[in-house]
Amino acid sequence: DRVVNLRRIADVISEINADLIALQEVDVEKSAGGSRTQAETIGEILDLRSIYFPLEQKGRHFYGLAVLSRFPITDVHFLRLPNLFQMIGTRKRGALYVTLHTPVGPMHLINTHLSVFKVERRRQLNSLLSEWYPEKEPIDVPLIFCGDLNAGPSSHTYQTLAERLVDVQLVSKEAALQQGTFHARSPVFRIDHIFVSHHLTPLRVEIKRTSLTTAASDHLPLIAELAS
């Protein structure tokens, strides 16, 4: 509904009761008392740790990626991705890579938001994979790769990732009936994805479509319950 309401977003996450949350298009709230990222505010409401990666600033507003976690975050890396069309003011893109200390051991999570333009998106994914490719990961450490890829299952971007990792939605018959995440009020596009390494088994996958989720964001939340 084009209203920025962090409490409402926190209510969505609280209802899901997730341990890990990947957020895109995260801003910074500036006031006379200083500034706080939206991720910090939501994390404080939910008692979750937060990491923020600001990709660009326009006036008083920032734009970036965030991860919220119930688990300790032991390592953080930021990666800026190629921007081929700077002259027309396309969004700056990047990836946020965190290492988490979970009850079953260390786990890696990559959160990204890729371009809406195919050529730029391919270049961005190639850059990301050259830096953090699944084959480079320690063989005993699980990996979650997720985010708004702006690309559907028939795209080169999706197929490249599907060759290396498992799309959690493909293991769920229920999710197959409701795959779209965008636009929230008419979710016909499956452009938000969660991929996992072979260490993790998806137990349940859901795209939550309620009056709250369709109002809180223009994307519906994609949820996966994973077992190690």
Side-chain angles (χ1 to χ4, degrees):
D1 60 7
R2 298 187 181 277
V3 174
V4 178
N5 185 327
L6 299 186
R7 170 61 69 171
R8 192 165 56 180
I9 294 171
D11 287 344
V12 170
I13 297 171
S14 177
E15 194 174 85
I16 294 168
N17 194 31
D19 295 317
L20 296 171
I21 301 96
L23 301 172
Q24 300 85 38
E25 299 187 22
V26 181
D27 201 353
V28 172
E29 305 287 324
K30 289 193 173 290
S31 65
S35 64
R36 289 172 59 82
T37 73
Q38 292 175 335
E40 283 180 306
T41 300
I42 296 169
E44 188 175 89
I45 293 171
L46 300 173
D47 194 25
L48 296 171
R49 301 167 177 86
S50 67
I51 294 292
Y52 180 58
F53 177 21
L55 288 163
E56 64 179 47
Q57 180 181 5
K58 291 187 177 180
R60 292 170 58 86
H61 292 281
F62 287 76
Y63 176 94
L65 301 164
V67 168
L68 303 178
S69 173
R70 206 174 301 280
F71 308 122
I73 299 170
T74 59
D75 201 11
V76 179
H77 298 279
F78 302 131
L79 179 65
R80 292 188 177 275
L81 299 175
N83 183 353
L84 303 184
F85 307 117
Q86 298 181 46
M87 296 297 291
I88 61 173
T90 56
R91 289 286 195 184
K92 293 183 174 66
R93 306 291 181 171
L96 173 55
Y97 183 118
V98 299
T99 303
L100 305 146
H101 180 68
T102 77
V104 295
M107 186 174 297
H108 294 158
L109 183 144
I110 297 173
N111 175 24
T112 191
H113 187 182
L114 302 183
S115 173
V116 297
F117 298 104
K118 181 167 64 175
V119 173
E120 190 172 52
R121 186 167 60 240
R122 284 192 182 191
R123 184 76 63 85
Q124 290 168 351
L125 182 63
N126 288 340
S127 176
L128 200 163
L129 292 178
S130 70
E131 186 73 21
W132 303 324
Y133 53 94
E135 295 87 346
K136 183 181 176 182
E137 297 294 317
I139 60 173
D140 58 340
V141 178
L143 170 68
I144 301 170
F145 185 112
C146 62
D148 178 357
L149 304 186
N150 275 310
S154 63
S155 68
H156 176 271
T157 297
Y158 175 95
Q159 295 297 329
T160 299
L161 289 167
E163 290 173 0
R164 294 164 169 80
L165 299 165
V166 176
D167 175 3
V168 299
Q169 282 185 267
L170 297 186
V171 303
S172 170
K173 293 180 180 178
E174 292 79 10
L177 299 176
Q178 186 187 345
Q179 290 187 329
T181 54
F182 181 81
H183 188 276
R185 295 190 181 278
S186 181
V188 295
F189 298 105
R190 186 157 90 91
I191 59 175
D192 301 287
H193 303 277
I194 300 174
F195 290 90
V196 296
S197 63
H198 67 87
H199 310 82
L200 298 170
T201 302
L203 301 179
R204 184 180 66 87
V205 180
E206 179 184 3
I207 296 170
K208 199 167 188 66
R209 189 180 184 190
T210 66
S211 58
L212 179 60
T213 60
T214 55
S217 172
D218 60 342
H219 291 245
L220 295 176
L222 174 60
I223 307 156
E225 183 181 351
L226 306 172
S228 176

